[in-house]
Amino acid sequence: MDAQEARNFGSMLVAFGYIYPLQDHRRLVIKADASLYRFQTPYFWPTQQWPAEDTDYAIYLAKRNIRKKGILELHEQEQYNRLHKWMNHKWDFIVMQAKEQYRAAKERRKPDRVVFECQERAYWVVHRPPPGTVSAMDYGLDRRVDPNADEAKTPVFYERVMIFTQQSIMRPRVKSSVSIGALVKYCATYSSHDPFLSACLPSNPWQTDDVTNWTLNMPNVETPTKTRVERWTFSFRELLSDPRGRNDFRLFLKKEFSGENLAFWESCEDLKWGTAATMKEKAEQIYKTFLARGAPRWINIDGNTMEITVKGLKHPHRYVLDAAQTHIYMLMKKDSYGRYLKSPVFKETLKKAACPEEHKFTEAQLEHNAKNRKPSPSPIILQQQEQEQKAKMAANVDITQVMSKLSKQAKEAPPPRPAAAAAASST
């Protein structure tokens, strides 16, 4: 076995929880350096086949909450709140178990207590991995079990059914009339925008080989259709999901001097769906641009959200800015979105929107369109063209503003001293 195979085998042992790192406990790999590792106690090995229940995880988080005096990691705090809300009916039992385990642990010697805490933390990192960490238990020993096989009717099975039934009874319900009314309202709103329920205007390109419909509905078309603009009024999510609508909303925010909000939201989306190699660099750049003190495009968020975000940026991952992004999203939704729908920017776009009329082709025209049919361009080429267009838009700088700024700086600069005066002062 060479060094690479040995390292891969060691990483598999770490990923499945047979050994665990002592320094960076969230990285379940073998590092090619002097990092220290320990063997996991056999009680926590995956071969024991005892399921990692949510109740046990809730007891573990409650115990850590007591030991850390309420200071948990961000993902642990989110899981703690979720489990507290979900298991509210038996939370007193969970807290009691956590206090008993914490009291029993304090009676041990300190070295034994520290080792057990590391072993328990390593177990839950494997079975409840933090965001951005791939869990080996998702495709490991459990995959050998046939999911279609009938489960044995053991007492554990019936206990799980009883717990599920109790939780179903306690879950809040919505009247069927209310849910059906909401469904009818949704269908009535979107029926005219569904290509299966309403005709494509001016024609269906799949039937007539006329690509006018696709041209009118390109992502960054200059003049959108009226149907497309009307869809922006359905919800704020519809507006942001349309590239043309987002550009229109960006223009409105620039006029209100709040364009940094949308820019921050887009940067967070790029971080969330971008490559893992540039994740840390993007997170640092977003912090310097929008969140740091004296940032060039500083955004206004509350102190609690800022504290959570800054704490998470010490160990950045894809969702480290979710709290700040949600705060800015709700701010734009509740404040800017309503004013945008009443603004001259939206009214002007709606006024100029294209209203194509239905065009019926004759048999001769359909044959002519079929003969002139061309293969559609590759999506890669379209993506490259879109990136080039964005680069051109970013490169367009208003020369008059630059010249006026330079002239203003020249006026504010002190006049140069004469050579004779400078020589006299030096002597």
Side-chain angles (χ1 to χ4, degrees):
M1 180 183 291
D2 58 8
Q4 184 64 32
E5 290 177 342
R7 192 178 303 164
N8 292 338
F9 179 70
S11 296
M12 288 181 60
L13 292 178
V14 175
F16 282 104
Y18 290 98
I19 58 178
Y20 61 92
L22 293 181
Q23 283 90 2
D24 193 358
H25 65 277
R26 298 178 63 172
R27 292 197 62 189
L28 302 179
V29 293
I30 288 287
K31 298 180 182 179
D33 52 18
S35 300
L36 301 178
Y37 297 83
R38 286 184 66 97
F39 280 96
Q40 180 66 283
T41 178
Y43 177 77
F44 289 123
W45 284 1
T47 51
Q48 297 293 340
Q49 289 290 326
W50 63 279
E53 300 285 351
D54 286 337
T55 303
D56 297 329
Y57 188 45
I59 294 174
Y60 165 74
L61 290 179
K63 184 168 57 175
R64 273 185 63 84
N65 190 51
I66 296 172
R67 187 167 61 246
K68 297 291 185 179
K69 297 181 180 180
I71 302 176
L72 298 176
E73 296 184 14
L74 181 59
H75 73 278
E76 290 180 337
Q77 187 65 49
E78 293 175 354
Q79 292 290 340
Y80 181 88
N81 296 335
R82 183 184 67 83
L83 292 173
H84 189 191
K85 184 178 179 181
W86 183 44
M87 299 182 176
N88 191 33
H89 60 286
K90 59 176 182 179
W91 195 252
D92 293 337
F93 166 78
I94 291 173
V95 174
M96 182 186 66
Q97 290 289 329
K99 289 181 178 179
E100 285 295 320
Q101 293 184 15
Y102 178 70
R103 183 185 60 79
K106 291 190 69 174
E107 295 177 358
R108 300 176 182 172
R109 294 186 304 152
K110 185 175 181 180
D112 296 338
R113 184 168 69 247
V114 172
V115 169
F116 181 78
E117 289 174 1
C118 294
Q119 292 171 344
E120 193 176 24
R121 181 183 63 185
Y123 171 82
W124 286 115
V125 168
V126 172
H127 289 81
R128 293 291 189 277
T133 304
V134 179
S135 174
M137 302 308 294
D138 290 342
Y139 49 90
L141 301 173
D142 296 336
R143 285 288 294 272
R144 298 178 183 176
V145 181
D146 184 8
N148 298 319
D150 294 333
E151 186 175 358
K153 302 299 189 292
T154 60
V156 177
F157 170 78
Y158 289 109
E159 182 181 359
R160 191 161 64 249
V161 172
M162 290 173 60
I163 294 175
F164 176 78
T165 307
Q166 291 175 356
Q167 293 173 351
S168 300
I169 294 173
M170 297 177 63
R171 190 178 299 123
R173 295 284 190 267
V174 179
K175 290 184 178 180
S176 58
S177 58
V178 177
S179 59
I180 292 174
L183 181 60
V184 170
K185 182 180 179 181
Y186 178 87
C187 294
T189 302
Y190 283 88
S191 60
S192 59
H193 298 265
D194 194 317
F196 289 99
L197 301 178
S198 58
C200 297
L201 298 177
S203 63
N204 189 336
W206 295 104
Q207 296 177 350
T208 62
D209 293 304
D210 180 31
V211 297
T212 306
N213 178 268
W214 290 338
T215 305
L216 291 173
N217 290 280
M218 291 180 65
N220 291 304
V221 68
E222 182 177 356
T223 304
T225 61
K226 188 175 182 180
T227 305
R228 184 174 177 180
V229 176
E230 289 175 351
R231 188 161 181 152
W232 301 346
T233 63
F234 292 169
S235 67
F236 186 51
R237 176 61 63 181
E238 287 285 349
L239 176 65
L240 292 185
S241 62
D242 189 342
R244 180 62 179 81
R246 195 186 303 178
N247 291 337
D248 209 55
F249 186 57
R250 183 183 295 108
L251 178 62
F252 166 75
L253 292 179
K254 284 183 179 179
K255 292 186 176 182
E256 291 211 338
F257 304 100
S258 58
E260 64 276 358
N261 291 336
L262 182 59
F264 174 74
W265 183 87
E266 290 178 329
S267 300
C268 293
E269 288 292 299
D270 183 40
L271 171 67
K272 192 181 298 183
W273 303 106
T275 58
T278 59
M279 183 174 60
K280 184 177 180 180
E281 181 182 351
K282 287 181 179 179
E284 294 177 354
Q285 184 63 32
I286 292 173
Y287 174 75
K288 294 178 182 178
T289 307
F290 299 98
L291 300 173
R293 185 174 298 177
R297 305 193 70 182
W298 184 77
I299 59 172
N300 186 15
I301 59 177
D302 60 271
N304 187 27
T305 305
M306 177 66 78
E307 183 179 355
I308 294 173
T309 304
V310 172
K311 184 179 179 181
L313 284 171
K314 296 179 181 178
H315 305 284
H317 51 84
R318 292 186 184 277
Y319 310 100
V320 68
L321 298 172
D322 269 8
Q325 185 186 17
T326 304
H327 180 85
I328 293 299
Y329 176 86
M330 296 305 298
L331 180 66
M332 293 190 296
K333 180 180 179 181
K334 294 180 179 179
D335 183 38
S336 303
Y337 177 58
R339 287 187 281 107
Y340 163 72
L341 296 179
K342 300 176 183 178
S343 67
V345 175
F346 175 75
K347 292 179 180 178
E348 186 69 18
T349 304
L350 183 62
K351 182 180 178 181
K352 294 181 179 180
C355 299
E357 297 182 357
E358 184 177 3
H359 181 73
K360 295 183 179 180
F361 291 86
T362 62
E363 293 293 334
Q365 289 176 331
L366 292 176
E367 292 181 3
H368 178 72
N369 292 342
K371 291 179 181 179
N372 295 333
R373 183 185 303 162
K374 298 180 180 179
S376 59
S378 171
I380 299 177
I381 297 177
L382 293 177
Q383 186 178 6
Q384 292 176 352
Q385 292 177 353
E386 185 176 355
Q387 292 177 354
E388 291 176 358
Q389 185 178 1
K390 289 182 179 180
K392 290 180 180 178
M393 291 175 62
N396 289 335
V397 182
D398 193 348
I399 302 299
T400 57
Q401 292 183 2
V402 176
M403 296 301 296
S404 62
K405 187 178 295 186
L406 291 175
S407 61
K408 185 177 180 181
Q409 292 178 356
K411 291 179 181 179
E412 293 177 355
R417 300 173 62 185
S425 61
S426 62
T427 57

